[in-house]
Amino acid sequence: MFLAVRELWFARSRFGLMGGVVALIAVLMVLLSGLSSGLVEDGVSGLQRLPVHGLAFDEETEVGSAFSRSRVNEEQLQEWRGRPGVEEAAFFGNLLVNARSDKDVPIDLALFGVEEDSFLAPETAEGEGLGRRDGLVVSQSAIEDGVAIGDVLTVDRLGTELEIVGALEDKHTYGHVDVAYLPLETWQEIYAGVTPEQEADPVVYTEATAVALRAEPDARIDHSTGDDEAGTMSLPLEETFAASPGYSAETSTLNLIKAFLYAISALVVGAFFTVWTIQRKHELAVLRAMGASTGYLVRDGLGQALVILAVFCGIGLGVGVGAGSLITGSGVPFLLEGTSVALAVVLLIVLGLLGAMAAIVRVSSIDPLAALGGQR
């Protein structure tokens, strides 16, 4: 590292410029990681916090439209309740609605219909839990949006009135819309379009969006066999996220952007060290003439690249985290997760080293005679 350290000091302006570019890429990677995690949380945090291992939809439903088109019945529910490995199964309803509070605050809600005595019933951090026929337990983010416990919400077009009786501890959203839990029977009436003045058909109370499944301890649910018997299309919970509105498009777009950034970082670092290697060809030839091995020169160059990448990625990480803390809470879906941020920085360093290695291997062709005027 003798030559590498001396070059880092004497050519500090060049390396500082290169490091600045690396730091900017690191900042962008941190911000993209936070935005990606934030969009995931804002899109499916309500599903992530469901105490289930899987959901069974109607067998004729496609994954991308499962929550909006699926309808399962009582027979399918009972079939899943009797399946080996299934500890509990219960109806789960999902519906997006527009509502307005008695204080004239408009709000969009993702209504999660659950039975009050089932394992799906949420625990509240404020107020009461489910119990009242017209009671709602809303996400903490809905409280932050302007509604409060005690407010009465009126569902658009139906006129159904629902009172907020409790609030959840964390943010629960679905499709970037605040989640509100309500009794299953009330959800079934809203889903069927039953107004307060109408009497619902008994069939209304025998259907829901999906069957929520919870596995027995240390057991796995046999989805394939269960689907054959119940006539459903069941998925592990993580795979149902793709049915959330916009989830697949948003995550795939951001992942593609991050992939391009990783490739750009490798190309930028590789291009810099390619030019730098060409400029220092004479010094490398002198080292070869003095007996330095190719391996020594490669290690010297990679050590130099590692110092630049580690130092300036660290600077970029600090700036990115600082900028992210300013964005958090501003209304933009942004969430900094240590694992995803660390992975982004590590990948940036690794790909930068690969780009540098592609340039530094040029030293293997350095002719030691070039240092002695052999080219003449």
Side-chain angles (χ1 to χ4, degrees), residues 40-42 44-52 112 119-122 139 168-173 181 237 241 335:
V40 170
E41 183 196 41
D42 204 52
V44 297
S45 61
L47 298 178
Q48 289 175 328
R49 292 176 170 84
L50 287 175
V52 306
F112 282 9
F119 66 97
L120 292 174
S139 168
L168 302 169
E169 181 178 2
D170 301 317
K171 179 179 181 179
H172 290 64
T173 52
Y181 285 85
L237 181 62
F241 298 165
L335 176 65

Side-chain angles (χ1 to χ4, degrees), residues 53-344:
H53 295 102
L55 292 170
F57 303 94
D58 182 68
E59 63 180 345
E60 297 181 357
T61 306
E62 296 182 0
V63 175
S65 58
F67 286 110
S68 59
R69 296 183 180 275
S70 172
R71 296 175 70 178
V72 294
N73 55 43
E74 190 73 31
E75 293 180 0
Q76 293 168 315
L77 171 63
Q78 296 302 329
E79 181 63 39
W80 272 109
R81 281 179 173 169
R83 295 298 309 165
V86 177
E87 181 180 25
E88 294 183 84
F91 270 152
F92 171 73
N94 187 320
L95 178 65
L96 296 174
V97 299
N98 306 116
R100 184 175 293 273
S101 74
D102 52 358
K103 297 177 181 176
D104 203 32
V105 176
I107 187 169
D108 299 328
L109 293 173
L111 299 181
F112 282 9
V114 301
E115 297 178 44
E116 301 95 308
D117 57 350
S118 74
F119 66 97
L120 292 174
E123 295 184 4
T124 58
E126 303 175 39
E128 306 173 2
L130 292 180
R132 292 173 44 180
R133 184 73 179 268
D134 63 343
L136 275 182
V137 175
V138 300
S139 168
Q140 192 63 231
S141 52
I143 300 295
E144 296 170 359
D145 287 341
V147 297
I149 295 176
D151 287 358
V152 176
L153 305 183
T154 302
V155 179
D156 289 355
R157 294 188 298 275
L158 296 179
T160 304
E161 294 186 347
L162 304 169
E163 182 178 346
I164 300 176
V165 297
L168 302 169
E169 181 178 2
D170 301 317
K171 179 179 181 179
H172 290 64
T173 52
Y174 167 79
H176 309 295
V177 176
D178 296 319
V179 167
Y181 285 85
L182 76 166
L184 180 64
E185 290 185 356
T186 306
W187 179 91
Q188 290 167 327
E189 292 173 357
I190 295 174
Y191 181 80
V194 178
T195 64
E197 297 78 20
Q198 294 176 326
E199 183 175 349
D201 189 315
V203 177
V204 169
Y205 303 108
T206 64
E207 297 179 332
T209 301
V211 177
L213 308 172
R214 184 157 73 176
E216 295 176 349
D218 302 322
R220 292 186 61 185
I221 298 174
D222 186 349
H223 290 278
S224 178
T225 305
D227 287 336
D228 291 339
E229 296 294 332
T232 57
M233 184 269 298
S234 64
L235 298 168
L237 181 62
E238 293 77 11
E239 295 183 20
T240 66
F241 298 165
S244 175
Y247 176 82
S248 298
E250 291 168 352
T251 54
S252 60
T253 299
L254 284 173
N255 288 334
L256 185 60
I257 293 173
K258 287 195 288 186
F260 275 116
L261 273 177
Y262 287 134
I264 290 170
S265 66
L267 289 173
V268 168
V269 175
F272 175 83
F273 277 98
T274 296
V275 174
W276 183 247
T277 301
I278 293 173
Q279 290 180 344
R280 65 201 288 247
K281 184 174 181 179
H282 181 73
E283 289 81 1
L284 296 176
V286 170
L287 287 177
R288 286 295 303 275
M290 294 173 63
S293 65
T294 299
Y296 172 84
L297 297 180
V298 171
R299 288 193 300 272
D300 185 80
L302 285 179
Q304 193 177 69
L306 180 60
V307 169
I308 295 171
L309 289 167
V311 170
F312 287 96
C313 279
I315 294 173
L317 173 62
V319 174
V321 171
S325 64
L326 297 177
I327 297 174
T328 303
S330 64
V332 177
F334 190 88
L335 176 65
L336 283 175
E337 294 181 331
T339 303
S340 60
V341 171
L343 179 61

